[in-house]
Amino acid sequence: MWKCLSKYVCIFLLLTLSGVFFLFRNISILEWKLDLCIWELCSNHAEGPTPLDHNQSCNHLSQGQERTPEEALEEHYLLESIAWPEPPPRPTSIPLEQTSDPAHSHFAVLPAVGGREWHVGDQLESLVLMKDFQGHPKSHGGDFLLARLHSPELGAGVAGQVLDHQNGTYSAIFLLLWEGSVQVEVTLVHPSEAVAVLRNLREERPNRVLYKSLFKCGLLSETTMCNLCLPTNQEPLCNYTDPHTGEPWYCYKPKQLLSCDTRINHFKAGYQKDLITDKEALLFQSGVNLKTRIRAKGSDSVTVLPKKKDKPEVESSLAKPAPVRTTPSGYYFQGSWQSLGDVVMRQFNDPTAITQCLKGKVVYMYGDSTVRQYYEFLANFLPELKDFNLRSPVRAGPFMAVDIPHNILLKYRSHGPPITWTPLSISQLRYVANELDGLAGGSDTVVVISVWAHFCTFPVQVYIRRLRHIRRAVVRLLNRAPGTVVVVRSANLRAQSLKESLIVSDWFSVQLDGVIKAMFRGLNIKLVDAWEMTLAHHLPHNIHPHPPIIKNMINTILSHVCPVKK
């Protein structure tokens, strides 16, 4: 009996082992077939961006659509116009004690011409003398200074113009625009020695912000680094250059069986570390030499009398033989922005007034988060404007809001890379120029553009190229629909710390601000001078200006959309 039982057990074990063998064999065949399918799907059989070879360099900073001779000359003059004075060469690094120190520096308000009083329409000048930490006068220029004239009790303020005499002295010049006591304020943002560090970072370390993309197909996934310029001496690149504008963007090709067209998103992955030495970090000390006030020698205030009866209006001062040396775009008075340009400012203080202005209009907003603030302001301020849930990322959008009874449509979309936000689907990476080319335009269309904040880390040529493509699209839009209202927002000041200075310093922004104003000058567009509107205001600087400033910006835009005749 036991012999018979053991015989059956042996047969059973043999059958079991045979079944297991065939099972594993079939699983292996299935896995091999599955891998083959995935390989066919995810590697080379779908059309998409092609990888670049190892010889690709970063010479694409000057590529994109072919520049005309006029555009090449314009770029030359643009770079010249924002060229910053460099300190004299030194054989060794400069010790902190010999760098600009706001505590030892001072400014003095110069007497009025002929010793007379100051009147509205006159020009006020202050002389700034920079010294080092040892109290010695500086002998060269290049410091980054800001100047503001204000009257706190009147809610008034205006930006001043700073002239660098390149010998350690500077002039802060203001146009006197209201009566009463006015106070001069001068701030050192960066000493010239810190500017030299920032200039080197911008030219030598443009990849200070780290970008990545996720590649995914089936069960396979991989994340790689991306940027405008990536070293190619080790890994091949995927080329995501926009076919219409020629705007470049690259990612390292995944090492797994994933092709370039399996990229699904884009996101910021942090910042490079150890960008500067400990000694260089001493040039960026908050409260010491980073965005620090300079004291006045003597009084920092003067009293402004009413404009003389025989004195011409401020607007006509440019026609005089000796023109005013500073012409601000506007000023604050009683907390409201007063434009000195070609628009009569209106105050849209209640939702009804804004709704009537925008009735029957479509408003497109393109760019970074500084224009997204306008969308958020209107969406929150207008009770009948209902946000349509597109299930978009909170910061990146796109967003859309509608007011059906008044036929108002409000839309926001971010610009294409570089964009330093949370994961954003590549289907939403749109270039502003391409979006503008898709608009019909017309008298019922308003376009607001703000593109600058994410370009601070790159050489200025990158920004000029992006604005050139946007400007071409704006010109095409205005040619086919001249009634379209196009508003361009400039850069603004922001809070500064050591970390922020190395990535998004106001020194980077002031140069982008100069470029955007120059490149859109002469076109039939409306400018929101965010730089002067944040400099002239008493509230602290912030990448996202505080609500009172945003309200004044909205008033400026709507005054252009719904103008009144002078």
Side-chain angles (χ1 to χ4, degrees):
M1 176 181 175
W2 290 108
K3 288 182 180 181
C4 184
L5 183 60
S6 116
K7 174 181 165 183
Y8 289 123
V9 168
C10 292
I11 295 174
F12 175 76
L13 288 174
L14 181 62
L15 292 174
T16 302
L17 290 173
S18 300
V20 170
F21 171 77
F22 284 109
L23 176 63
F24 276 106
R25 182 174 178 274
N26 289 333
I27 289 176
S28 298
I29 292 173
L30 287 173
E31 287 180 342
W32 178 80
K33 289 183 177 180
L34 179 60
D35 288 342
L36 180 61
C37 290
I38 292 176
W39 178 82
E40 290 179 344
L41 178 65
C42 301
S43 57
N44 298 319
H45 291 270
E47 293 184 1
T50 56
L52 299 175
D53 60 35
H54 291 294
N55 296 321
Q56 174 74 18
S57 64
C58 295
N59 59 6
H60 59 265
L61 291 184
S62 59
Q63 293 177 358
Q65 285 185 351
E66 188 69 26
R67 293 179 300 171
T68 65
E70 292 79 8
E71 289 171 338
L73 185 62
E74 177 193 41
E75 182 172 311
H76 170 74
Y77 284 128
L78 284 170
L79 295 175
E80 275 195 347
S81 71
I82 62 172
W84 204 269
E86 298 188 36
R90 297 283 187 97
T92 58
S93 60
I94 304 173
L96 179 67
E97 292 74 17
Q98 296 178 21
T99 65
S100 302
D101 176 25
H104 282 89
S105 306
H106 65 263
F107 71 88
V109 178
L110 300 182
V113 177
R116 59 179 177 80
E117 308 108 332
W118 281 278
H119 292 264
V120 171
D122 287 343
Q123 186 171 273
L124 177 70
E125 183 174 351
S126 294
L127 184 66
V128 186
L129 177 62
M130 296 302 298
K131 297 183 179 182
D132 62 22
F133 281 83
Q134 297 172 328
H136 301 142
K138 297 295 289 294
S139 59
H140 60 82
D143 297 308
F144 180 21
L145 303 176
L146 296 175
R148 180 170 78 105
L149 189 73
H150 63 120
S151 299
E153 68 282 357
L154 296 176
V158 66
Q161 179 182 358
V162 176
L163 300 179
D164 186 349
H165 302 298
Q166 300 191 31
N167 60 3
T169 66
Y170 303 77
S171 291
I173 304 172
F174 309 92
L175 192 60
L176 300 178
L177 294 162
W178 63 88
E179 303 172 23
S181 177
V182 295
Q183 181 179 349
V184 175
E185 182 180 287
V186 180
T187 301
L188 173 69
V189 182
H190 294 303
S192 59
E193 296 78 12
V195 170
V197 174
L198 296 175
R199 180 190 287 109
N200 183 68
L201 283 176
R202 185 180 64 189
E203 303 305 322
E204 303 297 332
R205 305 286 294 274
N207 294 357
R208 301 191 295 285
V209 179
L210 305 177
Y211 300 98
K212 287 187 176 182
S213 278
L214 174 64
F215 294 77
K216 188 174 182 180
C217 184
L219 301 176
L220 298 179
S221 65
E222 185 176 339
T223 300
T224 72
M225 299 296 299
C226 305
N227 216 306
L228 277 170
C229 177
L230 291 171
T232 60
N233 55 351
Q234 295 181 352
E235 304 174 44
L237 299 179
C238 290
N239 183 1
Y240 298 106
T241 298
D242 180 65
H244 302 290
T245 64
E247 285 291 345
W249 192 255
Y250 304 94
C251 295
Y252 282 123
K253 190 177 185 299
K255 296 177 181 179
Q256 300 187 56
L257 295 174
L258 291 169
S259 65
C260 291
D261 65 336
T262 59
R263 174 173 172 245
I264 66 170
N265 68 12
H266 164 93
F267 60 95
K268 183 189 75 174
Y271 303 94
Q272 284 189 0
K273 298 180 180 179
D274 302 321
L275 293 171
I276 60 175
T277 65
D278 292 341
K279 188 174 182 179
E280 290 172 330
L282 297 176
L283 299 171
F284 301 91
Q285 300 180 73
S286 296
V288 177
N289 51 12
L290 175 60
K291 220 161 197 181
T292 304
R293 299 273 176 84
I294 295 175
R295 61 184 176 85
K297 186 176 183 180
S299 177
D300 61 357
S301 302
V302 302
T303 300
V304 181
L305 302 177
K307 181 169 66 70
K308 290 182 178 180
K309 294 182 180 180
D310 59 343
K311 191 171 184 64
E313 296 291 335
V314 169
E315 288 84 350
S316 63
S317 62
L318 288 176
K320 297 193 296 185
V324 177
R325 292 162 67 189
T326 179
T327 51
S329 62
Y331 64 101
Y332 288 102
F333 190 77
Q334 295 181 348
S336 296
W337 182 253
Q338 310 296 320
S339 174
L340 294 177
D342 60 351
V343 64
V344 176
M345 287 297 297
R346 298 178 58 188
Q347 300 303 312
F348 295 83
N349 295 321
D350 61 86
T352 302
I354 297 179
T355 298
Q356 288 304 310
C357 176
L358 295 180
K359 186 176 181 179
K361 289 182 168 54
V362 182
V363 182
Y364 298 94
M365 298 183 179
Y366 300 111
D368 52 46
S369 58
T370 60
V371 75
R372 189 189 69 212
Q373 278 190 283
Y374 299 166
Y375 176 94
E376 294 168 343
F377 178 92
L378 293 173
N380 292 327
F381 192 68
L382 303 181
E384 294 182 89
L385 190 64
K386 305 300 182 183
D387 192 64
F388 190 86
N389 185 8
L390 299 176
R391 294 174 175 80
S392 303
V394 175
R395 296 176 61 194
F399 303 127
M400 183 171 72
V402 294
D403 177 350
I404 294 178
H406 299 97
N407 195 26
I408 299 172
L409 176 61
L410 181 64
K411 303 181 78 173
Y412 164 77
R413 181 176 290 280
S414 63
H415 63 73
I419 194 87
T420 55
W421 284 341
T422 52
L424 184 64
S425 170
I426 60 166
S427 65
Q428 301 300 339
L429 292 178
R430 312 280 184 85
Y431 289 94
V432 174
N434 295 339
E435 294 296 302
L436 294 176
D437 283 338
L439 300 182
S443 58
D444 59 350
T445 303
V446 180
V447 176
V448 187
I449 302 169
S450 179
V451 177
W452 65 275
H454 299 256
F455 288 82
C456 290
T457 58
F458 298 99
V460 179
Q461 294 92 326
V462 172
Y463 188 59
I464 293 174
R465 181 185 59 217
R466 181 63 60 91
L467 290 188
R468 185 185 299 124
H469 297 151
I470 294 174
R471 184 177 63 182
R472 288 173 175 173
V474 167
V475 170
R476 290 190 290 267
L477 172 62
L478 293 176
N479 282 340
R480 65 178 177 270
T484 308
V485 176
V486 179
V487 181
V488 175
R489 182 199 191 278
S490 72
N492 62 259
L493 293 151
R494 62 199 301 165
Q496 299 284 270
S497 63
L498 169 60
K499 179 181 177 181
E500 287 177 309
S501 295
L502 301 183
I503 305 296
V504 289
S505 166
D506 283 339
W507 183 75
F508 300 134
S509 301
V510 71
Q511 298 192 305
L512 302 186
D513 182 73
V515 166
I516 193 171
K517 289 174 180 175
M519 290 190 69
F520 283 92
R521 187 177 296 125
L523 294 184
N524 185 25
I525 62 98
K526 316 303 178 184
L527 175 71
V528 174
D529 195 336
W531 187 267
E532 289 196 15
M533 295 182 78
T534 50
L535 174 55
H537 207 278
H538 66 86
L539 286 171
H541 300 158
N542 194 301
I543 178 59
H544 300 123
H546 297 277
I549 300 176
I550 294 299
K551 181 181 181 299
N552 277 288
M553 292 179 177
I554 292 293
N555 285 340
T556 302
I557 294 171
L558 296 179
S559 295
H560 286 294
V561 174
C562 303
V564 294
K565 294 182 179 180
K566 289 190 177 182

